Structure formats: C-alpha cells, structure tokens
Amino acid sequence: MIHMVKLCVGVSSVEELEGYREERAHWWGADYGEDVHVHRTRMMPKRGDEMEGQGSIYWVMSGTICCRQRILRLASYTDPEGKNYCDIIMAPEIVRTVPYTKRPFQGWRYLRIEDAPPDMEAGGNDNSAEIAAELARMGLI
C-alpha cells in the first residue's frame, strides 16, 4: 500500500475543502455517485493499484499537510478534445492529520506509509489543530 500527497491548489484551509465536498464531484461532469469527492489530475499513477481502496490522498495547504481523504478508486477520463486524465474518487470524509511541513512541488508524489503524518486525535478542538499547525511552521513537529 502507498499514499499520495498533492497540493490543494486554491484552497487554504480544511474548512474550505470541506465546503467543496458537495459540489466537486459534478464540476467536470463526473458522475460517480453522490457520496464521493472527485479530483481530476492529468496523469494516472503507475502505482494506482497500491492506492485504490486502501491508500489516502494527503492534502498540502499553505505549505503544510493538514488532512487526508481515503482513495476509493481511480478512473480514466478522456475529454472531448482527446486529452486523458485520472479522476481520483475519494471518500467524502476529511480526516485531519498532525500538520507536517511540505515544500512546494508540482503534480503529486507518492507517500510511503511510514512517512505519512498520523491522524489528529478524534475529539480534538480547533485550538489543538491551530497550535499543531503553528508548531509545524516553526519546525518543532
């Protein structure tokens, strides 16, 4: 099993990403059911079989990994002009993680299980997420 890490371009907070859950699957005419979140990317991962149904996509916002979503499956999509894409079909639940600073990069990267930041404890309040994010920015966690 392997995970994916990807920049969440144009989204600056977990709350903003949560706001997109309801509409995102339908932005590109994708219809994978009502209870999913879809992200379209240009390339199909070569190691996709190691992610489907078992890995997660870890989202980087403002230079920090701060949450993840479980990858349900990957689907090929070809637009009317013949360009190929990969639709990443994810569970709608967004799980906050311990913030982890990540340098900018293009596209997406694989993330080994042992390198993935742990989930924040259930029941943690917004202050604990903010404190952890600030500690990550300072390089202390």
Side-chain angles (χ1 to χ4, degrees), residues 66-79:
C66 35
C67 64
R68 69 176 179 86
Q69 286 179 273
R70 194 167 47 87
I71 298 172
L72 301 175
R73 65 186 170 98
L74 304 171
S76 297
Y77 175 81
T78 303
D79 73 8

Side-chain angles (χ1 to χ4, degrees), residues 39-96:
H39 178 76
R40 183 165 289 163
T41 189
R42 187 72 174 96
M43 303 298 291
M44 178 68 77
K46 288 180 173 62
R47 297 177 70 181
D49 58 331
E50 296 178 61
M51 286 186 258
E52 285 186 296
Q54 45 192 346
S56 291
I57 185 167
Y58 284 76
W59 292 111
V60 178
M61 297 173 204
S62 302
T64 305
I65 295 175
C66 35
C67 64
R68 69 176 179 86
Q69 286 179 273
R70 194 167 47 87
I71 298 172
L72 301 175
R73 65 186 170 98
L74 304 171
S76 297
Y77 175 81
T78 303
D79 73 8
E81 297 168 1
K83 288 185 182 176
N84 294 321
Y85 295 91
C86 172
D87 283 353
I88 304 168
I89 303 150
M90 301 167 285
E93 295 81 24
I94 297 172
V95 179
R96 288 179 183 268

Side-chain angles (χ1 to χ4, degrees), residues 5-55:
V5 62
K6 183 147 181 37
L7 298 177
C8 199
V9 178
V11 177
S12 60
S13 69
V14 176
E15 293 77 19
E16 190 175 345
L17 180 63
E18 288 172 335
Y20 288 127
R21 279 188 295 200
E22 301 302 318
E23 60 188 87
R24 186 119 189 189
H26 307 288
W27 280 2
W28 303 289
D31 189 9
Y32 299 107
E34 294 300 317
D35 260 358
V36 295
H37 185 173
V38 178
H39 178 76
R40 183 165 289 163
T41 189
R42 187 72 174 96
M43 303 298 291
M44 178 68 77
K46 288 180 173 62
R47 297 177 70 181
D49 58 331
E50 296 178 61
M51 286 186 258
E52 285 186 296
Q54 45 192 346

